Amino acid sequence: MKDIVGRIRARRPDLRIIGATVTTALGATNAAHGFPEQDQKRRALNDFIRTSGLFDGVADFDKATLDAQTGSLKPEFVPESTTGGPGDKLHPNRAGYLAMGMAIDLGLLKLKQQPKR
């Protein structure tokens, strides 16, 4: 991440770079996701994204969708509450995606002000 962000900043210092946290997969029905060791890595990555200072801002999708008591998606974001099948408990339902969208500070999407010459 540091390398990529550094390259972007070198070429386009006017752009704001927004980091986005990774949502939980605990409880997912997909065998490739949701085990505790992965979640530990996810939490460490999210901590870096939030606190490193590398980004101009953070869209905290994890905070928006996480049930802090269970470590899984908030119950209201589990796909069984919307049109479609039961889902994989890895991807949220429409309400969960709306919560993720609302976690983005749209003010961060503006170009940085360039110094006057």
Side-chain angles (χ1 to χ4, degrees):
M1 278 189 203
K2 291 177 182 178
D3 181 54
I4 291 170
V5 169
R7 290 176 188 214
I8 293 169
R9 290 193 191 286
R11 289 190 173 110
R12 290 294 308 269
D14 58 318
L15 295 181
R16 293 185 188 266
I17 301 175
I18 311 303
T21 58
V22 179
T23 60
T24 183
L26 284 179
T29 57
N30 183 319
H33 299 282
F35 48 92
E37 296 82 7
Q38 276 184 330
D39 195 59
Q40 201 170 25
K41 291 177 184 179
R42 178 193 68 82
R43 285 183 279 132
L45 175 61
N46 285 348
D47 185 53
F48 172 80
I49 291 167
R50 291 178 183 120
T51 64
S52 68
L54 183 63
F55 303 101
D56 296 305
V58 173
D60 201 340
F61 297 151
D62 181 49
K63 182 179 177 184
T65 60
L66 182 71
D67 181 334
Q69 291 188 347
T70 67
S72 299
L73 286 174
K74 290 179 181 178
E76 63 267 31
F77 299 151
V78 174
E80 293 175 17
S81 61
T82 190
T83 304
D88 56 10
K89 296 186 178 159
L90 172 62
H91 300 91
N93 62 15
R94 293 174 187 147
Y97 282 119
L98 178 62
M100 291 169 69
M102 298 301 288
I104 301 169
D105 176 358
L106 296 180
L108 293 173
L109 301 178
K110 297 177 185 173
L111 291 178
K112 291 180 183 177
Q113 295 295 318
Q114 293 296 309
K116 302 221 184 218
R117 296 178 199 216

